[in-house]
Amino acid sequence: MISDQIKKGPERAPHRSLLKAIGYTDNQIKKPLIGVVNSFNEIVPGHVHLQQISRAVKDGILAAGGTPVEFNTIAVCDGISMGHTGMKYSLASRELIADSVECMARAHCFDGLVFIPSCDKIVPGMLMAAARLNLPSIFVSGGPMLSLTSDEGKAMDLNSVFEAVGAYMAGNMEEDRLSYFEDNACPGCGSCSGMFTANSMNCLCEALGIALSGNGTIPAVYAHRLRQAKATGERILSLVKENITALDILNEKAFYNAFTVDMALGCSTNSMLHLAAIANEAGVPFDLKKVNEISAKTPNLCHLAPAGHHHMQDLYQAGGVYAVMSELNKKGLLELDANTIYGVAMGEAIKGAKVLDPNVIRPVQTPYSETGGIAVLFGSIAPNGAVVKRSAVAKEMLTHKGPARVFDSEEEAIAAIYAGKITAGDVVVIRYEGPSGGPGMREMLSPTSAIAGMGLDKQVALITDGRFSGATRGAAIGHISPEAARGGPIAYIKEGDLVSIDIPHYRIDLEISEEEMAKRRKDMQVKPPREVSGYIKRYAGMVSSADKGAVLQSE
């Protein structure tokens, strides 16, 4: 066992002495030591209940003959950090999570790891660590929040509150009505209830084969979630015994399945950043153009919020991720021989899964669209790519041409939107918000929600070198690469320039000549880096572009 390095032989008596100081017995020390990576804290609703999940995981480990050893890592709430300086730290926290898990696992010689994430950056950060460490590894999330129905009969989620703010600022909603959404949209623990980033990544853990079925969809408050956590704790001992490691699972076939399921579910655009970063750690080639190839042949089967009115509890009751995969298998769209933590191939794992509600998971014969939920756009504005959640874009906005309204920060754009300065037909451009220029590539849920709340989401597009929350809907195009701070074309857009968007043909272009662009590159100066300090300053100097996953580079 790997843990023999800290517990076997007379020369390890000091190490055993320290373990006994904690209270471990000789019998416990002899067993496989299983690290339980818990992201519990008391500020993130998706994580506030993870002590219960951890207890259930540890019960499973004990029942299967292992010794659980819990340690923690950080977790940032994207919703609470939204719209202010705190959002600079959200994406950047992903690298800290991966690094901290690596430090703890390498220093203490665990035989296997159970990862307990829940929300946005924590899932990919832990997946990056799992790939980097290549130990027997398995994931179990805290589960999604429930969605309640409003007094108007509409399902609510966090996005309902953001859009209510937009309606209030436009004078279309009274303060007491805004308070109603504030009090009722987020009813309890769990990751926010739509197909936002957290739930996207937890569902994709199933598609990758590194989590048990139901990981992404079983609601946080259901007893089934605790039973699954116990089963996960039991299963890690089998993975240790069989020496099935993370990279036995996280290979090219697994990522192909993940991208395919991503398209069918209509996941958050952030999944493109995170899958790229995880693939980088796993040594799997990644190319944004490949995403469009997969999207072109993968039907979009689900319209969960923000694309539609369904939420995670609906997907769970309809059969979950494995039911979606079984439907995709009818068109031969999956790599069925991909490995899973069950110890069998994916084709065997999904056998027996079926769709229980065709209104939530549409048949492959009658999908929402013949193409996937995400599209990668290229063109003169984004030579290296940009990402849009196509399934959440109104049909009338799939193609759009309009004048650029240019802002060099999210705050400037929000102020203009709230002041009523954005009108139908405009293309809002928010730049210098990329991984390096932001720094931290902030999510733009506040401006997109304000646009939607004001009723302009079917008339106004928004493009940025920043990124969007999974809760964003409308013609919101992010991850524009290269970013403005690195001299990308978006830095040279001027107020009033015509911007052309053609999502069906994967294009985003600035309608000026090459000669004019060359002149602007000569005459216009890229803005100097923002004044930042501490970790985020180091991050800004080392982070890659969005098309590479915004990973830290050593050179």
Side-chain angles (χ1 to χ4, degrees):
M1 290 187 290
I2 295 170
S3 60
D4 286 347
Q5 297 176 77
I6 63 167
K7 66 186 186 184
K8 193 171 183 180
E11 70 277 14
R12 295 300 185 230
H15 304 65
R16 292 192 297 273
S17 181
L18 290 169
L19 292 172
K20 289 179 179 180
I22 300 169
Y24 291 116
T25 66
D26 284 325
N27 188 41
Q28 285 178 302
I29 293 170
K30 289 176 182 176
K31 294 176 180 178
L33 299 184
I34 306 300
V36 178
V37 191
N38 192 356
S39 52
F40 161 80
N41 62 38
E42 295 182 339
I43 190 65
V44 186
H47 295 247
V48 71
H49 65 302
L50 294 188
Q51 286 176 314
Q52 287 181 291
I53 302 296
S54 176
R55 180 65 268 166
V57 166
K58 290 188 283 188
D59 286 347
I61 293 169
L62 290 167
T67 297
V69 184
E70 183 177 357
F71 65 91
N72 286 78
T73 188
I74 63 170
V76 169
C77 178
D78 278 27
I80 295 174
S81 64
M82 190 77 66
H84 58 91
T85 301
M87 181 47 71
K88 295 180 185 291
Y89 290 85
S90 172
L91 180 60
S93 72
R94 186 188 69 184
E95 319 308 308
L96 286 175
I97 291 164
D99 290 350
S100 67
V101 175
E102 176 193 359
C103 289
M104 288 295 290
R106 291 290 188 220
H108 301 107
C109 300
F110 296 115
D111 296 301
L113 296 169
V114 178
F115 291 88
I116 309 176
S118 198
C119 293
D120 303 52
K121 308 308 160 300
I122 300 84
V123 191
M126 288 185 177
L127 281 165
M128 291 165 68
R132 189 183 301 174
L133 292 162
N134 196 26
L135 295 170
S137 301
I138 190 170
F139 280 64
V140 57
S141 79
M145 187 184 293
L146 291 176
S147 170
L148 300 183
T149 302
S150 74
D151 52 10
E152 296 175 328
K154 297 179 180 179
M156 296 181 292
D157 53 52
L158 177 64
N159 201 32
S160 305
V161 192
F162 275 99
E163 293 192 3
V165 171
Y168 173 78
M169 296 299 289
N172 298 327
M173 182 179 288
E174 298 297 327
E175 188 172 356
D176 61 346
R177 188 61 182 166
L178 175 60
S179 296
Y180 172 83
F181 285 105
E182 176 184 328
D183 292 342
N184 293 284
C186 298
C189 66
S191 48
C192 295
S193 55
M195 188 53 79
F196 311 150
T197 306
N199 294 325
S200 294
M201 294 308 302
N202 285 320
C203 286
L204 294 183
C205 282
E206 294 185 51
L208 286 166
I210 204 161
L212 297 177
S213 174
N215 177 71
T217 59
I218 301 169
V221 295
Y222 284 16
H224 189 180
R225 175 60 58 183
L226 295 177
R227 295 197 300 272
Q228 188 186 55
K230 291 177 182 179
T232 299
E234 292 177 352
R235 183 60 199 159
I236 188 62
L237 270 298
S238 298
L239 295 177
V240 170
K241 183 179 179 180
E242 298 163 25
N243 194 30
I244 299 174
T245 67
L247 293 185
D248 290 328
I249 295 168
L250 299 176
N251 54 32
E252 197 161 355
K253 292 179 179 179
F255 282 93
Y256 182 89
N257 286 341
F259 280 114
T260 301
V261 172
D262 189 317
M263 297 303 160
L265 287 173
C267 289
S268 164
T269 52
N270 282 316
S271 64
M272 295 297 103
L273 277 177
H274 300 322
L275 287 173
I278 300 158
N280 177 68
E281 293 286 355
V284 173
F286 175 83
D287 184 350
L288 276 174
K289 292 179 180 178
K290 183 72 173 177
V291 174
N292 283 341
E293 292 177 18
I294 294 173
S295 180
K297 61 183 179 181
T298 305
N300 178 222
L301 304 181
C302 301
H303 262 193
L304 283 82
H309 64 277
H310 295 134
H311 286 79
M312 297 308 295
Q313 65 211 45
D314 303 310
L315 181 58
Y316 168 66
Q317 291 166 354
V321 175
Y322 273 23
V324 173
M325 295 180 77
S326 70
E327 199 66 23
L328 292 172
N329 189 39
K330 293 177 181 178
K331 290 189 68 174
L333 294 174
L334 299 174
E335 294 283 358
L336 296 180
D337 57 346
N339 297 328
T340 72
I341 45 84
Y342 286 105
V344 299
M346 184 59 78
E348 182 67 23
I350 66 172
K351 188 179 293 184
K354 59 182 180 180
V355 175
L356 304 177
D357 187 345
N359 293 313
V360 178
I361 304 172
R362 285 197 174 180
V364 289
Q365 297 87 354
T366 57
Y368 283 100
S369 68
E370 296 292 341
T371 52
I374 289 177
V376 180
L377 312 185
F378 296 90
S380 60
I381 292 178
N384 295 344
V387 181
V388 61
K389 189 167 185 174
R390 173 168 44 192
S391 60
V393 179
K395 288 183 179 179
E396 52 265 52
M397 290 297 293
L398 289 172
T399 58
H400 180 77
K401 184 184 294 186
R405 305 297 310 281
V406 183
F407 305 95
D408 289 345
S409 72
E410 178 187 12
E411 288 82 1
E412 292 175 21
I414 291 173
I417 295 166
Y418 286 158
K421 295 179 179 179
I422 304 303
T423 58
D426 286 346
V427 178
V428 176
V429 178
I430 306 178
R431 61 191 180 191
Y432 294 102
E433 290 287 4
S436 178
M441 203 179 183
R442 292 192 289 178
E443 288 186 342
M444 304 289 160
L445 182 57
S446 293
T448 56
S449 296
I451 289 170
M454 292 176 174
L456 293 172
D457 57 300
K458 295 181 180 179
Q459 298 168 302
V460 170
L462 192 155
I463 70 173
T464 180
D465 53 6
R467 61 194 177 92
F468 296 108
S469 164
T472 292
R473 64 184 174 94
I477 299 164
H479 307 196
I480 288 177
S481 300
E483 62 176 291
R486 298 280 173 85
I490 191 174
Y492 304 104
I493 299 176
K494 291 184 177 182
E495 186 81 7
D497 283 346
L498 278 181
V499 174
S500 175
I501 298 166
D502 187 348
I503 295 173
H505 293 96
Y506 308 107
R507 298 291 305 181
I508 179 168
D509 291 288
L510 183 64
E511 295 205 348
I512 63 172
S513 66
E514 292 182 6
E515 291 76 16
E516 173 63 17
M517 176 57 78
K519 183 177 183 298
R520 292 185 186 185
R521 286 185 180 276
K522 181 180 179 181
D523 297 341
M524 294 174 66
Q525 297 295 315
V526 171
K527 287 199 168 190
R530 289 190 169 98
E531 287 293 328
V532 290
S533 60
Y535 169 64
I536 203 69
K537 182 176 183 178
R538 298 196 301 275
Y539 177 88
M542 298 174 65
V543 68
S544 77
S545 61
D547 61 299
K548 303 298 183 186
V551 296
L552 295 186
Q553 303 172 118
S554 57
E555 298 180 2

